[in-house]
Amino acid sequence: MRKASWILSGTAVVLVAASAVTRLTVYPALHQVPDGSETTFRLHGTATLLNASALSGGGGELFLRDVPVTMNRHVEVTDTDGRTAVVHDDAALRGPGGKELAVSRYVWALDRRDLTARPAPAGSKAQNHTGLTVGWPLEPARRDYPFWDTGTEKAVPAHYTGDKTIGGRNTYVYDVSATGQLADPAVAKGLPKALPRAAVVQLTNALPVQQRPSAAELAALPVTVPLTYDSATEQRAWIDTATGSTVDGTLHQTVTARTTGADGPLTLFPVTDVNVRATDATVRDQADTAADTARLLWILRDGVPLGLLVVALLLAALAVRQSRRPTRTDPAGEEVHPDDVRTPIS
C-alpha cells in the first residue's frame, strides 16, 4: 500500500474515533444542566387574599377578591459537583403597583440530567425532598413522574395526559394535584395558630352564603378557636419533548383555614387563592430557547458524529482506490505507481 493510502486510512480511523468520542463522551458531558444557568418564568392571573389591614381594624373589605397579580419564578444553578446541581428556586407574588404579597425560597440538590433528588452537598442547605421540583428530565417520556409538592411536603404523581403543540414546539402535558395539611414552614409561620371566635365569625360572614359554616357550627366553637391549614395545588405543565424545558404552565394554589367542630373537621375561610398562568411573552421566550437548545443538541448528538463518519467513509474509499491502482517496476527493481512517473523536460 502506498504512503498516501496509509495516510488516508489513518485519517479515516481518527475521524471514526472522533465521531465516537463526540457522541459517547462530549455529548453526554454537555447534555446536562450547566453550572451558572438560570431562567425566570413569569406568570400572571388573579388572587383572593385576606386583607390583613382590615382584619386588624384598618377598614376595608376583609377579603381582597380577584386582585390582578404577577408571579416571577427565578431558578438558578449556583453550584455543581459531578452529577449534582445545587439549585436556588425563588418566587415572588406581586399585586398592583408591584406590591410584594408573598415570597418563597427553596434550595434543591438535583441530578443534572433527570432532575431527581440527589444527596445535598455539605454546606448547600438543600432541602430534603423526593421527585421533581423545578422541571422535568432533559429527555422526558410519556409517563408519570413523582413530583414534590412544597405546600404539603410530599411527593405526588405528575400524570402524563397527552401531547400538544405550544409555541411551535411539541410538548408533553403533565397534570399535578396535591391536597393535604399545610406543611411548608415558610408559609405556616406567618399564619395565626388561633383566632378569637368573634374574628372567625366576622371572616366567615364575609364569604358567600354557600361557603359559610352554619350559625350553629360557629356558635359551638370555643372562645379561642385553634386553627389548622390545608394546602391544595393544581398545576399543569407543557414540557418540550426534545429538551425537557417548560414551555407553558399554570398554577392554582389555595390555603384554607380549618378547625375541629362539634361534628369533626370544619372548613372556615380561605387564606390565599392564587390562580396564574405563564405570560404570552414567557411562552414565546421558552419556545425559542427550546428550539435553540434542541438545535445545539442535534449538532452534538447527530450532526457532528454523522458528518465525521461520512468524511471517514469517503477517505476510506479513496484509500482503497489508491491501493488498487496499478504499479510498474523501475529499472532498479522497485515498484512505481503511475502517478509517481515524471515526464522528462526536453
Side-chain angles (χ1 to χ4, degrees):
M1 183 182 292
R2 295 184 64 246
K3 180 178 179 181
S5 296
W6 280 108
I7 294 174
L8 291 172
S9 299
T11 304
V13 171
V14 170
L15 291 178
V16 170
S19 173
V21 168
T22 301
R23 181 63 181 86
L24 301 177
T25 303
V26 176
Y27 171 71
L30 294 178
H31 190 211
Q32 59 183 355
V33 175
D35 190 6
S37 66
E38 59 181 312
T39 185
T40 299
F41 202 83
R42 296 177 173 84
L43 306 98
H44 64 164
T46 60
T48 296
L49 309 163
L50 272 178
N51 186 349
S53 174
L55 189 59
S56 61
E61 298 290 332
L62 287 173
F63 290 96
L64 303 176
R65 302 182 188 280
D66 298 327
V67 176
V69 294
T70 61
M71 179 182 288
N72 288 350
R73 186 179 184 186
H74 182 252
V75 177
E76 181 178 3
V77 178
T78 58
D79 192 19
T80 56
D81 181 11
R83 281 284 295 270
T84 301
V86 177
V87 180
H88 282 241
D89 176 15
D90 302 332
L93 181 71
R94 299 183 182 275
K99 181 181 179 181
E100 189 172 89
L101 301 175
V103 295
S104 64
R105 293 184 175 88
Y106 305 101
V107 181
W108 313 112
L110 306 177
D111 186 278
R112 297 174 68 184
R113 293 178 187 166
D114 63 24
L115 274 70
T116 56
R118 295 275 290 181
S124 68
K125 298 182 180 179
Q127 295 159 247
N128 291 329
H129 74 285
T130 57
L132 304 176
T133 54
V134 299
W136 264 252
L138 303 187
E139 295 181 345
R142 291 183 176 93
R143 68 174 182 85
D144 297 350
Y145 289 95
F147 192 92
W148 184 252
D149 176 59
T150 56
T152 58
E153 292 199 331
K154 65 181 181 181
V156 297
H159 294 291
Y160 164 75
T161 56
D163 295 17
K164 189 171 183 179
T165 300
I166 297 288
R169 300 295 301 170
N170 295 326
T171 69
Y172 297 146
V173 185
Y174 300 92
D175 286 339
V176 179
S177 179
T179 58
Q181 186 169 345
L182 177 67
D184 186 342
V187 177
K189 71 179 182 181
L191 300 175
K193 295 181 179 180
L195 282 176
R197 182 174 58 197
V200 171
V201 172
Q202 183 184 18
L203 286 166
T204 57
N205 284 343
L207 297 173
V209 174
Q210 64 272 21
Q211 296 180 20
R212 301 176 191 171
S214 69
E217 289 173 317
L218 292 173
L221 294 176
V223 174
T224 300
V225 182
L227 300 176
T228 59
Y229 298 90
D230 280 358
S231 171
T233 302
E234 301 286 338
Q235 295 187 64
R236 174 167 289 180
W238 289 263
I239 304 301
D240 188 78
T241 61
T243 65
S245 59
T246 304
V247 178
D248 195 0
T250 64
L251 172 66
H252 185 197
Q253 194 167 39
T254 62
V255 174
T256 305
R258 294 166 62 88
T259 192
T260 300
D263 298 321
L266 180 64
T267 299
L268 296 176
F269 52 85
V271 177
T272 61
D273 186 337
V274 178
N275 196 356
V276 291
R277 180 167 188 162
T279 65
D280 291 342
T282 291
V283 173
R284 289 194 298 269
D285 290 344
Q286 292 294 106
D288 290 344
T289 300
D292 292 341
T293 302
R295 193 176 301 112
L296 176 60
L297 291 176
W298 180 87
I299 291 172
L300 290 173
R301 183 186 62 240
D302 300 319
V304 171
L306 287 175
L308 292 172
L309 283 177
V310 169
V311 174
L313 289 173
L314 292 175
L315 292 178
L318 184 58
V320 171
R321 181 184 177 188
Q322 287 281 66
S323 67
R324 290 180 175 178
R325 298 187 69 176
T327 60
R328 68 176 180 81
T329 303
D330 66 6
E334 297 180 355
E335 289 187 349
V336 179
H337 195 278
D339 289 348
D340 294 336
V341 177
R342 299 289 182 268
T343 301
I345 300 176
S346 56

